Amino acid sequence: MFTNFKTGMFVFFTVFSFGFTQDVTLSIEGSDLLYDSNQGIYGFQFDHNGCASGTNGGDAGAAGFTISCGNGTCLGFSFSGSSIAAGNGVLVDLGGECSTLYNLVFAGANGI
């Protein structure tokens, strides 16, 4: 019986984790940071090497996100709770050409 309980918990965890997985694929084209996401984006954060100091616009700007960049980190979110719909497009204009972004964090509707 204990073995069945463990197996049941494993199956539940697997279904649970698949149910709340957000996949975001990013690419950089010129100064545009492009995204493709299977869920809405409610916020984002990433680090850069100083190349993205003028980040603005894109679908984040259209959604009313506040976008702030300083000391090598950019943060974007909405005070009103708006989001960027699932799909693809230009997340933001980086304000310069970046070759590397790192420590990427995206928030979905479930806080992921």
Side-chain angles (χ1 to χ4, degrees):
M1 184 160 179
F2 182 74
T3 303
N4 289 337
F5 177 73
K6 253 181 123 173
T7 303
M9 289 299 289
F10 177 73
V11 170
F12 174 73
F13 178 75
T14 302
V15 171
F16 179 78
S17 67
F18 284 134
F20 297 104
T21 299
Q22 180 169 8
D23 292 322
V24 179
T25 303
L26 299 173
S27 60
I28 298 171
E29 186 176 300
S31 64
D32 290 338
L33 178 59
L34 308 175
Y35 72 95
D36 186 359
S37 179
N38 67 345
Q39 293 186 28
I41 298 172
Y42 285 76
F44 60 87
Q45 178 178 329
F46 58 84
D47 292 334
H48 59 90
N49 63 357
C51 61
S53 60
T55 301
N56 62 50
D59 290 345
F65 276 36
T66 297
I67 304 167
S68 177
C69 293
N71 297 325
T73 299
C74 288
L75 176 66
F77 64 95
S78 170
F79 282 106
S80 67
S82 68
S83 66
I84 301 165
N88 57 54
V90 176
L91 182 63
V92 292
D93 177 346
L94 296 169
E97 291 193 23
C98 294
S99 60
T100 304
L101 303 176
Y102 52 99
N103 296 332
L104 302 153
V105 178
F106 284 85
N110 298 311
I112 52 175

